[in-house]
Amino acid sequence: MASTVLTGIKPTGTPHLGNFVGAIKPALALAGTASNALYFVADYHALNVIHDAQKLRALVHEVAATWLALGLDPEKVIFYRQSDVPEIFELTWILSCFTAKGLMNRAHAYKAAVARNMESRAGASGAANVEDMDDLDAGINMGLYSYPVLMAADILLFKTNVVPVGKDQVQHIEIARDIAQRFNAIYGPTLVLPAARISADTAVIPGLDGRKMSKSYDNTIQLFVPPEKLRKTIFKYKTDSSPPSEPKDPDASPLFHLYREFATPEETEALRGRYRSGIGWGEAKEAVFEVLNRALEEPRRRYAELMADPAGVDALLAEGAVRARQIASATLQETRRAVGAR
């Protein structure tokens, strides 16, 4: 049976190694299992937090170049920029008219922003209840509040069957399903109900301090830095003070976890043996650098080419948008007819 897979990529920061292993690699693999695969750079989603036009344009190019360099083939999938598909935004308004405000009140991002305001007001004033506090919606724009409706439009417009997401994004798929069900209950089966796909074996890459690699922890390894900088960064990994001759548990080592994501099975088992017989941390870090540098050498070269040709990247995204709009236009016309619009 034909199936459609869709992945959105928000350009809010320079991609790092954790993004590659945790999101990019599994999303690219999933594309091979679908009849149709769509990938889009979600620049209007990023507008919630990025209000610098030059920065937004630069991040769009960075993210697009990253996915292309790591193996996304625009000949085999549809790769586009969200803002190049105006049908998304018309559908967003239509869907908004079938979305309960209470549903948006329960959205995780909005609730988290309100909770931060409550903590801040309570901390500043010692207030014990909501009535004594200032506006709890302070600093929250309508983009953040209605973000899930735009995401629902991203998904429903392409009659998406599967959306690969992390656990923190599952609610967005549930909201999209809820909106589609409300619409279909009134107008008949028009919108396809999507399903979230969470990969149970997706690796969590440890950062330089041993915690999950994340920009918020400032512990990341950027994907395409030059070899000498990559090596210096890897040598910043936090390790214990055990001597080189002391046997070490590879499964408890963040360095080993990183190594096995890029090494061959034979290399992984060889390094596991060296851990158990005793290995110096400098030696382990050098091994990580070697397999990482090998794996990233060709993507790094390709990324540099793409970043040197932003017009070429824009052209690829524009070509993808033409293909995306062929699908989007048909769905939007069907939806407009259903509601009674011309």
Side-chain angles (χ1 to χ4, degrees), residues 9 11 39-44 56-61 64 78-86 88-89 154 158 310-322 324-325:
I9 311 148
Y39 297 81
F40 68 96
V41 183
D43 52 343
Y44 270 18
L56 182 58
R57 281 192 292 268
L59 284 170
V60 166
H61 286 137
I78 300 176
F79 187 40
Y80 59 98
R81 180 173 18 222
Q82 182 188 36
S83 59
D84 288 338
V85 183
I88 294 170
F89 311 106
D154 290 324
F158 296 99
V313 173
D314 282 337
L316 283 174
L317 292 171
E319 289 170 12
V322 171
R325 292 192 69 187

Side-chain angles (χ1 to χ4, degrees), residues 108-300:
H108 293 329
Y110 173 66
K111 286 177 67 177
V114 170
R116 285 193 296 270
N117 280 343
M118 288 181 70
E119 291 172 7
S120 146
R121 302 300 189 274
S125 64
N129 56 64
V130 172
E131 284 105 7
D132 295 331
M133 300 181 188
D134 295 333
D135 179 14
L136 292 179
D137 284 330
I140 300 174
N141 60 44
M142 283 303 297
L144 182 142
Y145 185 73
S146 57
Y147 185 102
V149 185
L150 177 56
M151 185 173 285
D154 290 324
I155 297 165
L156 299 174
L157 186 62
F158 296 99
K159 302 201 174 210
T160 304
N161 303 106
V162 176
V163 185
V165 291
K167 290 180 181 178
D168 60 336
Q169 292 287 316
V170 170
Q171 189 196 44
H172 288 300
I173 313 306
E174 293 171 346
I175 288 173
R177 288 177 61 88
D178 186 276
I179 296 170
Q181 285 171 328
R182 287 172 186 243
F183 188 95
N184 289 348
I186 299 171
Y187 298 108
T190 307
L191 301 173
V192 171
L193 274 59
R197 174 74 60 85
I198 305 171
S199 178
D201 57 356
T202 296
V204 175
I205 292 298
L208 299 175
D209 56 3
R211 294 182 292 178
K212 176 184 176 181
M213 189 174 291
S214 169
K215 289 186 285 289
S216 61
Y217 295 147
D218 193 25
N219 66 355
T220 64
I221 300 175
Q222 291 187 13
L223 276 169
F224 302 121
V225 292
E228 59 274 14
K229 186 172 181 181
L230 177 63
R231 187 175 186 277
K232 286 180 181 178
T233 304
I234 290 169
F235 269 74
K236 292 178 182 177
Y237 255 98
K238 184 179 179 181
T239 53
D240 60 34
S241 57
S242 57
S245 59
E246 183 178 311
K248 299 171 178 65
D249 179 3
D251 295 321
S253 168
L255 282 167
F256 185 80
H257 289 180
L258 184 57
Y259 181 88
R260 70 185 178 190
E261 287 297 324
F262 295 91
T264 66
E266 294 76 17
E267 289 170 332
T268 300
E269 286 310 303
L271 187 63
R272 186 185 293 276
R274 289 163 66 190
Y275 263 78
R276 287 172 173 163
S277 62
I279 188 173
W281 289 125
E283 188 181 350
K285 291 175 180 178
E286 189 65 39
V288 170
F289 164 71
E290 287 174 3
V291 296
L292 260 179
N293 192 53
R294 180 185 69 198
L296 294 175
E297 185 175 12
E298 178 56 25
R300 184 192 295 132

